[in-house]
Structure formats: C-alpha cells, structure tokens
Amino acid sequence: MAKGWIFSALLVVFLVLSPHCKAFYLPGSYMHTYRQGEEIWAKVNSLTSIETELPFSYYSLPYCQPQDGIKKSAENLGELLMGDQIDNSPYRFRVNVNESLYLCTTNPLDEGDVKLLKQRSRDLYQVNMILDNLPVRRFTEQNGVTIQWTGYPVGYTPEGSTEVYIINHLKFKVLVHRYEGGKVKVLGTGEGMEVISETDTDTKSGYEIVGFEVIPCSVKRDPEDMSKLKMYGKVDPISCPVEMEKSQLIREKERITFTYEVEFENSDIRWPSRWDAYLKMEGAKIHWFSIMNSLMVILFLAGIVFVIFLRTVRRDLTRYEELDKEAQAQMNEELSGWKLVVGDVFREPTSSKLLCIMIGDGVQILGMAIVTIFFAAFGFMSPASRGMLLTGMIVLYMLLGIVAGYASVRLWRTLKGTSEGWRSVSWSTACFFPGIVFIVLTTLNFMLWSRNSTGALPISLFFALLSLWFCISVPLTLLGGFFGTRAKPIEFPVRTNQIPREIPTKNYSWLLVLGAGTLPFGTLFIELFFILSSIWLGRFYYVFGFLLVVLLLLVVVCAEVSVVLTYMHLCAEDWRWWWKAFFASGAVALYVFLYSINYLVFDLRSLSGPVSATLYIGYAFVVSLAIMLATGTVGFLTSFSFVHYLFSSVKID
C-alpha cells in the first residue's frame, strides 16, 4: 500500500515537472558555443507593463510570425505561474554576420488592430525578447543619466503630439566572446582521469553570446516595394532615431513593414559574467548602507530588550528559590505576577484546533522560506533560470508537508492529551493555507481570463497543481500527522486547576500585541522595498545573501518580542498567552500589508485599472498571510518553550 502511494506520488511529480526539468540547473552549466555563420533564433516572452501588470501574448499584436508557425517553448511551473509565455520568433541571427533584413509587411490595419496597438503603446507595454537565454537590453538618457531597461516599447507618443508611432525597426547589437577549446582530450577511466590524445582546437572553439542589446525606432517604408521582398531579404540600414515625418504612424488601412539589423561585436566579457550587466542594482551603496544600518539598530534594540528581560526573570527566580517552603507559600499569597497563574498557564486555549493548524502551516512556510533563500544565497537559483525560484518554493512546500503534519498533531496531542481527531487536524493543516491561496488565485484567474491575459493559468495547470496538492502535499501531511501521534506529547510541569482564575481587566492588551509587530517590521521594511520593486517594476532581485541575513534576524527579533510580551501578560496575571504570543510576532504581517498598500499608492502611481489594483492587493494578501503564519509560529514556539522552562524552574505545589 505504502509502496503504491509512493510510486503514484513520484509519477505525478514526473508527469507535471518532466517537460520543464531543464529549469533545475546550476548557473554556468548550459554554456553554448556557436560556429561562424550558425543560425540562432530569438524568442519572445509575454508583453509586460508597469502600467497595468497584465501580461499579454506577443502575437496578440499584428507582428510578423515565423515561417514554420508559432511554437511555444517548454516552460516550468514557476514560469507558468508568473504568466510567462515564451514563443519562437522570426528574428534570425547568423553568428558573427552583420546584416540588415526584411521580415514582413502586414495587411492593412483595421479598427481593432489600431485600437489595440495604441492602447498597448499608451500603457507602456514592452516587448521582451530573449537570445541564448539573455533578455534584450536597451538604454535611454534621462537628465544626463543612462538608464538600462529590459525589452523595448510597442510604440510611443512624441512629446507635444497626440499621434502614436509603432516600433517596427530594431537595431540589434550582439556581444560575442571568442572561445578557444582545449588542445587535449580527457577521458575518465576506472582508475582516474587520463590524457588520451591531442585534438584539433577548432572542434571546441566558437563564439559565446555574452550580450544582447537593441535600439528600437519607427521607420515608414513603402509597403508596395517592401512586399515584393521575401523574408530575410536585404534592406538598407537605418540610422536611428528617425525624424517624425519619416516614422510609421498607427492608423487604419496602414500597412506596416517590419525590418531589423544585426551587428556582432567582440567583447572581453566571459560567459560566466554575462549576467553581471543585468544584476547591477541602482543605488547599491544606499542599499548596503540601509541594510547594515537596519541590522545594527535592530540588533542593538533587541539586545537591550533581551538583556533587561533576562535580568528581570533571573532576579525573580533567584529570589523565589532562595526562600524556604513556608516563605514561598507566603510569597505566593502576597505577590502578584506570573507566579499566581501557575494553575492556569497551561489551560487549553480557545480555538485550539485552529491554533494547531496555523502552527503546522507556519512551520511549513518558514522551512520553505529558509531552505529556498539559503540555496538562492549560494547561487543555486540564478536569475538566468526563469521560474526556478518559484518552482523550488512549491516543491519544497509540498515536501515539507510531513513536517507540518507532525508539528500540528503533536501540539494537538499536547493540548488534548490524546490522539483522537488527529486525522481532522492533519487534513485541515494540509488544506488551510493552500485552500485560501487557491481561492484567491482562482478569483484573480477569472479576472485575468476575462482580459485574455497570459497571466491567467491554463486549465491544465490547475489540474496539475491540484494533483500535486492532493497526491503529494496532503498524503505527506497525513504521514507527518501519523508520526506525530507516535511522538511523545510534551508534559506540562504544573497541574491545571479545574476552575479558571479571573483575569484582571486590561484594555490595552491587544493594542500592545499589535504594536509589538513594529519591531520585527523594522528589520525587513528596507529589503521589502527592493523585493516589491523587483516584482512590480521588472527588476532583477539577486541579493539573497542580504535576504538570508534579514530573515534570520527577523526570526530572532520575533522570538524575543513574543517572549517579552508573553512575560508581560503573565506578570499582569493574564494566563491567556497562547494566541497573544502568536500575534505578537505575527502582527508584522499587518504592517507588511499596509506597507504594500503604501507602495501601491505612492510608488506604483502609474498602475491603472481596477483589475491591476485587485491583482496587486490579492497577491499582497497572500504574502502577508504567509508572513503572519511563519512569524507567528516563531513567536508561539519560542513563548511556549519559555513558559515551559519558566514554570519548570520553580517548584510550586
């Protein structure tokens, strides 16, 4: 039975991921060398814009199509979830051959084509082109500063004009590095590596593509003359930019001619360094200074709080243990504080099942985040591998279902003293967070479908995700829950009274809990800005080393804040610490969500349309929920360990 389930699970993973397994490679393992004159073809990704954040297919516009038809590239799970749609294109390059070529001339534009082209141009949509896995770059000058972009615009409207011009001529510059192969052939034998013979250098030499740049411009050509040419016919080169009167307008009954030029240029850049130009972050010094300053301030504040806290608790314990039994009994009657709630501190909290479920999901999310960022920090998830980060997160989340089931069921056994109902807890743990995410994404997906966006998930992917969920994640969570029933429950050091103690009225209790989230938020809000910018402004995020440090620091601060708040509530004779310990650190998610809304209003002011804003808010809600579960789990588990240790250290009858 178990062998059959394992085989079925592995089969589902293979069927879902096997067409896309090429995404799992290390940076530098897929180096290509090309011969002189060898043909290579550019690919096109979805059209994207920071104005609407709705991706659309490249061929949704009247662009030239390949001679052998449109063919989609195999994409991994992460690429599909991000809305990437990579297709082949008619743009052909012959290595180290400079040429100016004709592509095609469209039919006369109808009203629908004109409206769509103008709308995409005004919404600042970019054409994303890829050559040998390198995105195309372009450069613009603004106030004497050179700005780098990926992709080129669909069209543009000159300043002081209402007319829209289409980009129909591209001047490509391809940077190549001459690669000389080795002069010896090395074979592996059973006794080690042996040099067999010398080989011809030409068998391994060639050209590596290390850069891909474009200068886009609009050129009006005579469609009658151009249509006589065949695809890849020779045309005269163009000097960009072109005067307005010689540019191609977007208007009805116009026939648009598409052409391009290719220039190859030798470069000293080596293949392993070709992504460095894309990963240059603007304001790097500010980034370094801000992160280090934030880390120092948070470490300093957390250190002070922790030292004060240790001294206070240590003093209470020392005073208490130095007294004899009679004095301890008198002290219990006279003093107020955490010693008076000894009979209620481990009383089962309200909604205990929900707490167990959220702790299980939080352990799963936190484990996924730490492992993913750890591997990314050490270069295992390069930006060159599109979608790999998201794919890795999904796979890790599924595999960690066994940890989630174990954590939730063991906590359930600890609170209830029995394993009865563990299957329900495991099922709920497997479905709580993924179910919420599935509902949100399905709702957003219907909105994307209505707009014909490539960001909409295909039905096949829905079934694939459901298969992974119910065939991998749910069984692993149930298996973890089964292991949780076999684990020894945590024994409480004190007995719980039958009648709960009355709690003094404290009106500021939950306000204090919510306010405690500001300290953990201070550790990540700077990094959060860079992450949001990389997601919504089309920038590459690569400083995972910083992110790993920030994540570890966030865990430490969440633990300290939650423990301090728990101690304060116990001193106030409030024994209902369970949920407050969870939300003391989990409240950071509230500030993350509010900051996301602030970013939407003040940094994404160009984001237009209710659909785009709804998408943004929906994704921000899902991320904030995940952060709440992860940070809340850290706070709760630390507080639980602290309370258990505190009342284990004092012998109270």
Side-chain angles (χ1 to χ4, degrees):
M1 181 72 176
K3 290 182 179 179
W5 168 79
I6 293 173
F7 175 77
S8 300
L10 293 175
L11 180 62
V12 170
V13 173
F14 176 77
L15 291 176
V16 173
L17 298 181
S18 58
H20 319 302
C21 62
K22 66 177 183 179
F24 293 90
Y25 64 84
L26 302 181
S29 61
Y30 270 58
M31 182 178 73
H32 296 280
T33 57
Y34 299 95
R35 297 277 191 161
Q36 173 77 27
E38 181 179 349
E39 291 186 352
I40 53 176
W41 304 82
K43 296 182 179 181
V44 286
N45 204 339
S46 300
L47 306 174
T48 56
S49 170
I50 62 173
E51 287 280 326
T52 66
E53 290 302 331
L54 298 178
F56 291 97
S57 170
Y58 172 83
Y59 292 107
S60 63
L61 298 180
Y63 285 132
C64 301
Q65 298 187 6
Q67 290 178 322
D68 54 351
I70 301 172
K71 298 177 182 178
K72 298 184 182 300
S73 298
E75 296 166 330
N76 59 55
L77 192 60
E79 287 178 302
L80 293 173
L81 290 173
M82 291 189 299
D84 289 345
Q85 180 175 310
I86 301 177
D87 303 313
N88 61 333
S89 81
Y91 289 93
R92 184 201 68 186
F93 300 81
R94 292 192 294 175
V95 175
N96 221 26
V97 177
N98 299 336
E99 49 192 351
S100 183
L101 305 175
Y102 164 81
L103 271 185
C104 74
T105 300
T106 66
N107 295 324
L109 299 179
D110 58 25
E111 182 181 356
D113 293 332
V114 171
K115 182 178 179 181
L116 189 59
L117 282 170
K118 287 186 176 181
Q119 186 65 43
R120 295 288 182 266
S121 300
R122 288 167 179 158
D123 287 340
L124 304 182
Y125 270 88
Q126 304 284 316
V127 177
N128 299 294
M129 195 171 291
I130 305 166
L131 182 67
D132 193 37
N133 203 36
L134 279 180
V136 69
R137 295 189 298 156
R138 66 183 175 95
F139 301 92
T140 59
E141 293 284 341
Q142 292 184 5
N143 300 323
V145 178
T146 301
I147 301 177
Q148 173 182 295
W149 306 83
T150 54
Y152 60 89
V154 171
Y156 65 96
T157 301
E159 187 175 354
S161 174
T162 59
E163 299 289 352
V164 182
Y165 296 85
I166 189 172
I167 298 296
N168 63 335
H169 182 77
L170 303 173
K171 294 175 66 72
F172 292 109
K173 177 189 290 186
V174 181
L175 304 180
V176 293
H177 180 82
R178 176 74 176 179
Y179 175 77
E180 297 291 346
K183 295 184 179 181
V184 293
K185 181 180 180 180
V186 182
L187 292 180
T189 68
E191 299 178 355
M193 303 299 289
E194 295 183 358
V195 177
I196 304 300
S197 63
E198 292 191 359
T199 60
D200 185 5
T201 304
D202 293 337
T203 60
K204 290 187 177 181
S205 63
Y207 295 94
E208 304 165 350
I209 295 178
V210 295
F212 186 34
E213 302 172 4
V214 67
I215 300 176
C217 60
S218 179
V219 180
K220 183 174 178 59
R221 296 182 184 266
D222 187 348
E224 298 298 330
D225 292 340
M226 291 291 105
S227 58
K228 296 177 182 178
L229 297 175
K230 293 183 178 180
M231 184 174 283
Y232 309 120
K234 302 293 183 179
V235 295
D236 296 330
I238 299 294
S239 178
C240 295
V242 180
E243 296 83 357
M244 286 182 57
E245 58 271 12
K246 296 181 180 179
S247 301
Q248 178 63 60
L249 279 170
I250 300 176
R251 59 187 176 190
E252 286 189 53
K253 299 182 180 180
E254 283 282 340
R255 299 180 66 191
I256 300 175
T257 297
F258 289 91
T259 54
Y260 69 102
E261 299 176 40
V262 183
E263 177 188 355
F264 284 83
E265 181 179 299
N266 291 322
S267 173
D268 293 330
I269 301 173
R270 300 301 300 269
W271 194 89
S273 304
R274 65 180 193 158
W275 273 87
D276 291 353
Y278 296 87
L279 301 181
K280 289 180 180 178
M281 182 174 292
E282 297 296 331
K285 292 184 179 179
I286 298 176
H287 182 83
W288 277 84
F289 176 79
S290 299
I291 293 297
M292 295 304 299
N293 181 67
S294 177
L295 292 175
M296 295 299 295
V297 170
I298 296 303
L299 281 174
F300 179 72
L301 293 177
I304 292 178
V305 172
F306 199 55
V307 168
I308 294 174
F309 164 74
L310 280 179
R311 293 186 61 183
T312 303
V313 176
R314 189 178 183 85
R315 185 173 62 248
D316 282 353
L317 288 175
T318 302
R319 285 183 56 198
Y320 195 85
E321 291 175 352
E322 287 177 352
L323 299 177
D324 55 26
K325 291 186 177 180
E326 183 177 350
Q328 287 180 3
Q330 182 179 1
M331 183 178 179
N332 283 339
E333 294 178 359
E334 294 178 355
L335 296 179
S336 62
W338 58 271
K339 296 173 287 295
L340 298 180
V341 296
V342 61
D344 300 277
V345 69
F346 291 107
R347 186 179 301 279
E348 181 183 344
T350 57
S351 305
S352 57
K353 182 178 180 180
L354 178 61
L355 179 63
C356 295
I357 293 168
M358 295 175 73
I359 294 301
D361 282 336
V363 170
Q364 189 175 10
I365 294 170
L366 183 64
M368 174 200 68
I370 292 177
V371 174
T372 302
I373 296 174
F374 177 83
F375 279 104
F378 284 90
F380 286 89
M381 295 181 180
S382 167
S385 181
R386 293 173 182 81
M388 183 180 179
L389 184 65
L390 189 54
T391 303
M393 291 174 66
I394 294 173
V395 172
L396 281 171
Y397 181 84
M398 290 188 302
L399 296 179
L400 289 174
I402 191 170
V403 180
Y406 177 85
S408 58
V409 171
R410 191 176 184 197
L411 180 59
W412 174 257
R413 285 197 68 199
T414 299
L415 295 177
K416 293 292 185 179
T418 178
S419 298
E420 185 178 354
W422 72 270
R423 291 181 180 85
S424 176
V425 174
S426 298
W427 268 101
S428 301
T429 302
C431 298
F432 178 71
F433 177 71
I436 294 175
V437 173
F438 188 79
I439 292 172
V440 173
L441 292 184
T442 302
T443 303
L444 297 178
N445 212 51
F446 279 117
M447 301 175 67
L448 291 171
W449 270 334
S450 66
R451 300 292 296 272
N452 296 320
S453 171
T454 59
L457 305 183
I459 295 294
S460 59
L461 183 58
F462 262 93
F463 283 111
L465 291 174
L466 287 174
S467 299
L468 291 173
W469 183 5
F470 286 106
C471 296
I472 305 296
S473 183
V474 172
L476 284 177
T477 307
L478 290 172
L479 181 62
F482 174 75
F483 290 149
T485 62
R486 301 296 180 180
K488 184 179 179 181
I490 302 172
E491 296 182 359
F492 296 141
V494 294
R495 294 189 300 269
T496 301
N497 298 331
Q498 293 184 353
I499 302 175
R501 179 184 178 87
E502 184 178 355
I503 300 174
T505 303
K506 300 291 182 181
N507 296 327
Y508 58 86
S509 178
W510 279 103
L511 290 177
L512 190 62
V513 169
L514 294 177
T518 56
L519 188 58
F521 178 72
T523 66
L524 56 79
F525 81 95
I526 294 177
E527 204 65 28
L528 186 61
F529 170 80
F530 289 100
I531 294 174
L532 290 174
S533 298
S534 67
I535 295 174
W536 298 103
L537 297 180
R539 300 172 183 170
F540 290 102
Y541 184 87
Y542 72 100
V543 285
F544 290 103
F546 280 123
L547 189 59
L548 180 61
V549 173
V550 169
L551 178 61
L552 296 178
L553 184 59
L554 176 65
V555 170
V556 173
V557 175
C558 285
E560 293 175 349
V561 167
S562 185
V563 167
V564 170
L565 263 292
T566 299
Y567 180 72
M568 292 176 61
H569 282 104
L570 293 178
C571 288
E573 302 178 31
D574 186 355
W575 47 266
R576 296 176 301 186
W577 59 272
W578 306 80
W579 282 106
K580 292 174 182 176
F582 182 90
F583 286 111
S585 53
V588 66
L590 173 63
Y591 299 98
V592 170
F593 184 77
L594 293 177
Y595 182 84
S596 300
I597 300 300
N598 174 80
Y599 187 86
L600 171 65
V601 174
F602 295 101
D603 292 274
L604 291 180
R605 288 172 291 182
S606 60
L607 198 65
S608 61
V611 175
S612 300
T614 304
L615 285 173
Y616 180 92
I617 294 174
Y619 293 140
F621 170 76
V622 170
V623 172
S624 300
L625 177 62
I627 291 175
M628 183 195 73
L629 293 174
T631 55
T633 296
V634 171
F636 172 81
L637 294 179
T638 310
S639 294
F640 183 85
S641 301
F642 160 71
V643 173
H644 191 279
Y645 171 78
L646 181 63
F647 286 90
S648 298
S649 302
V650 180
K651 306 299 182 182
I652 303 178
D653 295 330

